[in-house]
Amino acid sequence: MYSQGLDKSKVKLNSLVLGIESSCDETGVALYHTIHGLLGHRLFSQVEMHAEYGGVVPELASRDHVEKLLPLIRELLSATNVRLADLDAVAYTAGPGLIGALLVGACTGAALAFALGKPALPVHHLEGHLLSPMLSDPELQPPFLTLLVSGGHTMLIDVQDFERFEILGETLDDAAGEAFDKTAKILGLGYPGGARLAELAALGREGAYIFPRPMVDRPGLDFSFSGLKTFALNTFNASDRTDAARADIALAFEIAVVETLRIKIERAAQQTRHRTLIVAGGVGANRRLRLRLQALAAQKNLRVLFPPLEFCTDNGAMIALAGAMRLNRGAVDSAEFGINVQPRWPLASLYPTLCPS
Ligand code: KG4
Ligand code: ZN
């Protein structure tokens, strides 16, 4: 799906890319210019719609992308004073994600590109996340270690270069954010309840309950969070279910997640010897996690960066940026007019010769 390598004859430094993200429950669009950077972006989150059902309903997600995508693109073009004819390429998230949701962005992106006679660029969603710190810090240079920690992902990634990523570890079951949301539901906090659980935890008494730190006594950098949610359920059922008990359980759960992440990050930093850690994804908003990682950084002489949440949760800007960087490298096959979506798409398959894992 990707053309590899740098073809200098194709490198174009002055290009404008429209990016489209629709892999899950956020419709994102953005315009990224290879010299002027991000011209603007728009985002519509479906979270309120799915809250009623306690999680993302794929069919509703697709339908909502259909309704929101073109109006968002029109609004963005008008706000930035850009005409469709000014675009040099259209980048869209091709996977991984929900197939119906992906198809909305892919069909729209490919059709627009076809109509304009410009390349359509299928982008891997995680490649977008890994590049996104550059949206707020264009000087940022690899190598660095990225912790991607959201409702859908929990991964430690070695970003050796902008074309060379290696997943060092990932969750074997629930993502950390998903475990926050499920535990929040057990405690009666609604969906998505991660932030509310963190607020409740602030009222808890440390040490009232001790939760396990899953998989820390095994070698390697993978995670497993689904057992913690079960532990929370059993603890809650055995408690007196008062507000105080709920706060104590919330705190014990939060500490267990944060400590588990901290232990694996420390291990990954030792293994890679990278000095910079980037924390992306919605769980990166967690105050305890931030403080703990800042303390770790001070102790181990590391640099820890938390890019602004608007760029580390799902957004169109990271997809436009990934597309623009590909244009910059000259790694674009202008004949890519097909509609490509891959609901399951291992990151490692992007650069098979570079990224063996
Ligand atoms: O990156 P994100 O916005 O999107 C997706 O995963 O789609 O992450 C959302 C996740 C949710 O699971 C939410 O509960 C969690 O991030 N989250 C938090 C906090 N704020 C958001 N988890 C723990 N503490 C928080 N303060
Ligand atoms: Zn994402």
Side-chain angles (χ1 to χ4, degrees), residues 25-26 150-152 177-178 180-181 192-195 198 281-283 285-286 312-314:
D25 58 347
E26 255 114 24
S150 69
E178 191 179 353
F180 262 95
D181 293 337
V283 182
N286 185 274
C312 54
T313 62
D314 289 352

Side-chain angles (χ1 to χ4, degrees), residues 23-26 45 47 56 125 129 148-153 175-182 184 191-199 253-254 257-258 280-289 309 312-314:
S23 65
C24 189
D25 58 347
E26 255 114 24
S45 169
V47 70
V56 177
H125 181 75
H129 273 303
L148 183 56
V149 70
S150 69
H153 329 285
E178 191 179 353
F180 262 95
D181 293 337
K182 289 177 174 171
Y191 170 89
R196 264 171 264 157
L197 185 144
E199 273 172 41
F253 169 84
E254 184 184 47
V257 174
V258 168
V283 182
N286 185 274
R287 195 175 134 74
R288 178 173 293 275
L289 180 66
L309 269 187
C312 54
T313 62
D314 289 352

